[in-house]
Amino acid sequence: MPEIRVPQLGEGLVEVRVVRLLKQVGDTVERDEPLYEVETDKAMMEIESPIAGRIDEWLVGVGDVAAVHQPVVRLVDTARPDVETVRIPPRTRVLARALGIDGDQLSRWAQQQHAALLPEHLEALVAGERTERKTAAPHPSHTEHIVSAAEEKLHRALAAAHASVVPASMAVQIAAATLDRAATALRAESTAFTTVFTAFAYLACRTTNDHPALRTRRLSAERRRVFDHLQAALAVSTADGELVTATLRDADQLDYPGFAAAYATAIENALTGHGHADDTVTLALSHVDSPSAQFAVPTVVSPAVATIFLGAPGPTGHRHIVLAFDHLVLNGHQAAAYLDDLVALIERTAVPATETRRRSDAAAPDDVTAVVADVLGTTPDPDAVLDQYGLTSAQAVRIAQRLNARYGSELPATAVWHHPTVRALAAALTPRPAPQTTVEPRPSRDDSPIALIGAACRLPGAAGIEQYWQLLSRGRAVFGDIPPDRLPEFTAPEGVTAVRAALLDDIAGFDASFFGISPRMAAGMDPQQRLLLELAWHAVESAAIAPETLAGGRTGVFIGAGASDYRERAARLGLAQAATAVGTLPAYLANRISQFFDVHGPSITVDTACSSALTALGLAVDALRSGSCASAIVGAAHTICNSFNATAYYRAGMLSPTGTGTAFDDSCDGFVRGEGAVVCVLKRLADALRDGDPVIATIRGVAVNHGGRAAGAAAPNPAAQTALIRAALADAGLSGSSLGYLEAHGTATPLGDPIEWESLTAALAGIATAAGPQHRLWVGSAKSYVGHLEGAAGLVGLLTAALVVQRGRIPALAGFDKPNHRLTVTAVPLTLAEHACDWTTDEPRFAGVNSFGLGGSNAHVIVESAPNRAPPPEKATGTLLFPLSARTEAALRTLAADLAERLSQPRAEYSPSRVAATLQLGRAAFGVRRLITTPDLGTLVTALRSLAAESGSPEPPSTLEDPVAAATADRWLRGESVRWTDLWPEGAIPQRIALSGYPFQHRRHWLTDAEAQEPRT
């Protein structure tokens, strides 16, 4: 049974309000026949049925708000295969309604026509029927009316218009009191009699100065004639009720006294038969002098290209301004722009010249309420958040434009997000002394930097840190189509042309045996838990710490969480069981890691939506600074395997319907989802340097806040974002000029990106230079590469910023073309990373990372490049011991291959002694063991490749000349624990470094597999 949905009626339009149902249940409807009437923020219009059928059920009612692509009516298809359906164009139906012809008669004539029934065909059929009626039986008693010459001329023009004009219409509302005040202000300029309509006509004509389409005549399909000045026509009613036309010459050039005089003369000429409209008239002005004529869609009569109608005041105190126009000359954007400018001019004129508001005057909340009410169509409470009135992005932009026009202010398009109530908007229009930037005193604590000593990631197109940096260096996103098994029972909404995401190759694989987990329990575990377990191991190895040395210590685990698709998938399949009870519980994202490593610090899972990961990092930094932790594991993960969130996000307009998602680009239309995980290991910097840990970067400042009462439940608060960045800089003891790179939250939405840009501009106000290349602050976003990892996004941003300050290169915004036109030009030295750029400096590099949660919770981190430090003295050249171990022979061979590949890359830190110390002191010892003895890296790499290929064996330890080394090697190969530090002189243990992590042996573990099912009793 076919369903008819709300069509896409214009760019940026997301919903309509149903104002009238033109058919009832049981009625038949033809293709292209009007079915229901809707109201948008720009116009009222009838929506036609794309198919023929019989109404089975209305899915909406009068007054309902329906989203674009939402089903509104269900039809029963009544098409008969033996009857050919003849198309009836919309303009033919318009003419039929004007002539009083019902739908059944129209359908019969269409079938007789055997072709599209055009307006001229309909006129001929009507004329023929009238001729037949003249020869029919005598009519009952009646009076004949002879059409006057004026009426006949008007009717001919109307009929000609139906054949030559493609009609369209658009409407706006304005407070009747505002228009009355405009008329009062104009009366002060002229002694001529002034009505509200006279004032309206004058302002409508003046507005065409900036809109040449309203001064255009269509000569043919290929040619237009644009007049320098406006020739306007007035529809004038005679004493007999006939309509005649008065013409105003050069109406857009007259001042008001001149216009009022010309207006009176034109009407007098028309009423005495001396006025006429020629082919230079392009705009007609109309109203009906009746309190009931509140809304009408006027007819466009050629050669005019538009007719503007002023409705009578309605019960809400508003008047409709309706612009009907020829779509062959004007498009919807041009019509909307003209109406917006007309309303703005009326509002400016409504303020008397002696009381003109300047930017220095206070804006009264009542006046701002009137402006907002004009846009919303309802009068808001001055202290209510405007979002609760169904505010759309387009309406928010229009409110800012009209306030600017009225007060001469310069509010940004995002003003409503900054000031979400009428009273806040009024305050924003009232200048205040510049606030003094102060930093609230905080309780005394240790504010020393925190070292990022280890990191691991698994991201789309990147199985580790090095692969991720290579991905950023290539400058291309890794978005792709989403396989159906990832989004079961998902149907893309209308208008979505590409269902894409940045996905991992496999989220079902897991090395359950490594972690001592049964296959059934593994299948019940959220893939996010599995990713975090494996990456926590790799991150600890990246820090060159033997994982078993953490047991019993004060290591805290802090995990950022978001949605659990796996839990929702289990619920949908009815697979609630013991394994999924803890396997999908958010608390276990952190608790599982703490249990496995046997660490006794805090174990916290935190969910603040998109800012979860950096919020978790903030908690970890506080715990380290307070001394409640000696080290911290911080992580976050996100996987996609259920359709609920995808469907909800598309319907909410959050996701890119084109599958692009480049932050700050003018074509941005929403974000693209991504999946993956990042885990970091943190220590106080002083402790890391003391313990000889590798340092990737340092965390100098962290701030977390909430936006409080904003423009809506999911709307950002720009002032809070600004305060957040300032607080993080204060925590770091830095000024904004110290920053050289900013990893942006980067929502890739038309207004989200400008809000973030404005917040950053405000936070850095007053700085003349920054510390990045060309003395500017460069802005980028990893979301343009790997998508939005939602709860894990903040740690992806942190990892990106850490690599930027470590390696001295800023990656480009992937897919970037040109900046979002809503980004404000600023004196702050900001630069979008349109291309990759080297960042060469002898000074420390500083970068900021933004992360903003959907619910208003925000986090910001300041990252600094690692400090330069002199390496400890290394042992003299000689034979070194390189131990390798794994749980299986296959894993050992893979580990050897990975190490050989890594060590073959030229890196300054890859000295033989550092590699040996890392493998000895920074790795767990497993049962399958090998030992390579060599003095140099070249021989080590050759031996590793032989081991990986099973084509050789390491040199036996008995050849070692050093008896301590020989004994240590022998005991270690027999499976005993050894003291590797005995091989190094006191105080001369080499610097440990990041090397390849353990090669987990994955096996599929999934809910629907047989192993996942609980045994039945």
Side-chain angles (χ1 to χ4, degrees), residues 210-230:
D210 297 324
H211 297 272
L214 274 298
R215 295 183 271 107
T216 298
R217 181 189 174 196
R218 181 167 62 91
L219 302 177
S220 66
E222 298 83 16
R223 295 178 60 214
R224 303 283 190 275
R225 177 176 293 157
V226 181
F227 295 101
D228 293 337
H229 304 303
L230 174 71

Side-chain angles (χ1 to χ4, degrees), residues 633-841:
I633 296 172
V634 183
H638 181 242
T639 55
I640 300 171
C641 59
N642 195 52
S643 60
F644 175 83
N645 283 326
T647 302
Y649 295 167
Y650 271 120
R651 289 181 177 175
M654 297 159 62
L655 298 182
S656 168
T658 57
T660 51
T662 298
F664 302 104
D665 191 81
D666 202 43
S667 65
C668 65
D669 55 2
F671 68 83
V672 174
R673 303 180 80 197
E675 65 179 4
V678 178
V679 177
C680 301
V681 180
L682 307 180
K683 265 188 181 181
R684 286 180 292 273
L685 178 60
D687 295 344
L689 296 177
R690 178 201 65 203
D691 297 339
D693 298 322
V695 178
I696 300 170
T698 61
I699 296 168
R700 283 289 302 269
V702 180
V704 176
N705 75 1
H706 190 275
R709 187 180 187 184
N717 182 335
Q721 293 179 7
T722 296
L724 175 81
I725 298 169
R726 288 175 175 168
L729 285 167
D731 188 55
L734 300 171
S735 70
S737 60
S738 302
L739 299 178
Y741 176 72
L742 189 286
E743 174 65 22
H745 183 63
T747 61
T749 58
L751 284 176
D753 288 347
I755 288 173
E756 182 173 11
W757 184 264
E758 290 166 12
S759 302
L760 180 60
T761 299
L764 304 178
I767 71 168
T769 63
Q774 302 165 21
H775 304 292
R776 302 187 68 81
L777 173 57
W778 290 58
V779 180
S781 177
K783 290 183 180 67
S784 65
Y785 287 85
V786 296
H788 188 357
L789 271 68
E790 299 173 28
L795 279 185
V796 178
L798 174 75
L799 177 61
T800 305
L803 292 174
V804 166
V805 298
Q806 181 194 47
R807 309 194 180 196
R809 186 166 175 82
I810 297 172
L813 282 162
F816 188 87
D817 182 25
K818 62 179 179 179
N820 186 325
H821 66 276
R822 293 184 176 89
L823 299 184
T824 55
V825 178
T826 171
V828 175
L830 296 176
T831 293
L832 289 174
E834 300 182 28
H835 56 82
C837 182
D838 288 328
W839 184 5
T840 304
T841 178

Side-chain angles (χ1 to χ4, degrees), residues 519-579:
R520 185 170 62 82
M521 291 300 291
M525 287 173 62
D526 192 324
Q528 296 177 152
Q529 278 192 30
R530 308 179 206 167
L531 280 168
L532 290 170
L533 265 179
E534 293 187 344
L535 289 179
W537 184 274
H538 279 166
V540 171
E541 288 187 321
S542 169
I545 296 173
E548 66 271 14
T549 64
L550 297 177
R554 291 182 301 110
T555 296
V557 179
F558 303 85
I559 301 299
S564 173
D565 275 14
Y566 204 65
R567 188 178 182 90
E568 291 167 357
R569 188 168 183 143
R572 182 178 59 83
L573 296 173
L575 294 178
Q577 53 195 34

Side-chain angles (χ1 to χ4, degrees), residues 520 577 1013-1017:
R520 185 170 62 82
Q577 53 195 34
Q1013 311 309 309
E1014 289 187 339
R1016 298 185 180 274
T1017 58

Side-chain angles (χ1 to χ4, degrees), residues 273-353:
H274 296 96
H276 68 282
D278 57 25
D279 61 3
T280 64
V281 168
T282 58
L283 176 66
L285 303 111
S286 171
H287 79 299
V288 177
D289 191 14
S290 168
S292 62
Q294 297 170 13
F295 186 89
V297 179
T299 300
V300 181
V301 180
S302 186
V305 297
T307 301
I308 193 164
F309 171 83
L310 177 64
T316 64
H318 290 78
R319 303 181 77 142
H320 281 97
I321 301 173
V322 185
L323 182 71
F325 55 94
D326 184 352
H327 216 307
L328 295 174
V329 179
L330 275 79
N331 58 39
H333 289 291
Q334 292 170 314
Y338 169 75
L339 288 174
D340 282 346
D341 286 355
L342 172 57
V343 170
L345 179 59
I346 293 171
E347 290 173 341
R348 288 199 302 272
T349 307
V351 183

Side-chain angles (χ1 to χ4, degrees), residues 140-442:
S141 176
H142 62 280
T143 301
E144 296 286 346
H145 170 70
I146 305 300
V147 177
S148 69
E151 281 186 298
E152 185 179 0
K153 181 179 180 181
L154 176 62
H155 292 166
R156 285 199 305 271
L158 288 170
H162 282 297
S164 61
V165 172
V166 175
S169 62
M170 196 167 285
V172 294
Q173 285 184 326
I174 190 167
T178 301
L179 194 51
D180 290 345
R181 292 204 309 274
T184 300
L186 291 173
R187 287 190 192 105
E189 301 179 15
S190 172
T191 57
F193 178 71
T194 298
T195 66
V196 170
F197 183 73
T198 311
F200 170 77
Y202 167 69
L203 297 171
C205 292
R206 292 288 293 183
T207 305
T208 64
N209 269 313
D210 297 324
H211 297 272
L214 274 298
R215 295 183 271 107
T216 298
R217 181 189 174 196
R218 181 167 62 91
L219 302 177
S220 66
E222 298 83 16
R223 295 178 60 214
R224 303 283 190 275
R225 177 176 293 157
V226 181
F227 295 101
D228 293 337
H229 304 303
L230 174 71
Q231 317 305 317
L234 297 168
V236 181
S237 179
T238 67
D240 297 328
E242 294 183 357
L243 285 179
V244 293
T245 303
T247 304
L248 290 165
R249 300 293 177 191
D250 297 337
D252 59 330
Q253 299 299 301
L254 301 172
D255 59 11
Y256 184 69
F259 182 91
Y263 183 94
T265 301
I267 291 178
E268 182 179 349
N269 289 339
L271 293 175
T272 58
H274 296 96
H276 68 282
D278 57 25
D279 61 3
T280 64
V281 168
T282 58
L283 176 66
L285 303 111
S286 171
H287 79 299
V288 177
D289 191 14
S290 168
S292 62
Q294 297 170 13
F295 186 89
V297 179
T299 300
V300 181
V301 180
S302 186
V305 297
T307 301
I308 193 164
F309 171 83
L310 177 64
T316 64
H318 290 78
R319 303 181 77 142
H320 281 97
I321 301 173
V322 185
L323 182 71
F325 55 94
D326 184 352
H327 216 307
L328 295 174
V329 179
L330 275 79
N331 58 39
H333 289 291
Q334 292 170 314
Y338 169 75
L339 288 174
D340 282 346
D341 286 355
L342 172 57
V343 170
L345 179 59
I346 293 171
E347 290 173 341
R348 288 199 302 272
T349 307
V351 183
T354 57
E355 299 177 12
T356 300
R357 296 188 185 274
R358 297 179 176 86
R359 185 66 182 89
S360 59
D361 296 331
D366 287 349
D367 292 341
V368 177
T369 298
V371 174
V372 174
D374 285 343
V375 176
L376 294 180
T378 186
T379 302
D381 183 304
D383 295 308
V385 174
L386 296 176
D387 179 75
Q388 72 185 51
Y389 296 97
L391 178 79
T392 66
S393 296
Q395 288 173 325
V397 171
R398 194 170 298 114
I399 287 171
Q401 291 172 338
R402 293 190 181 178
L403 290 173
N404 287 338
R406 176 158 187 169
Y407 293 100
S409 55
E410 296 181 356
L411 293 177
T414 54
V416 175
W417 278 265
H418 291 267
H419 317 288
T421 68
V422 166
R423 201 174 301 280
L425 283 168
L429 291 162
T430 304
R432 298 175 298 279
Q436 299 297 313
T437 302
T438 59
V439 179
E440 295 183 7
R442 299 181 312 168

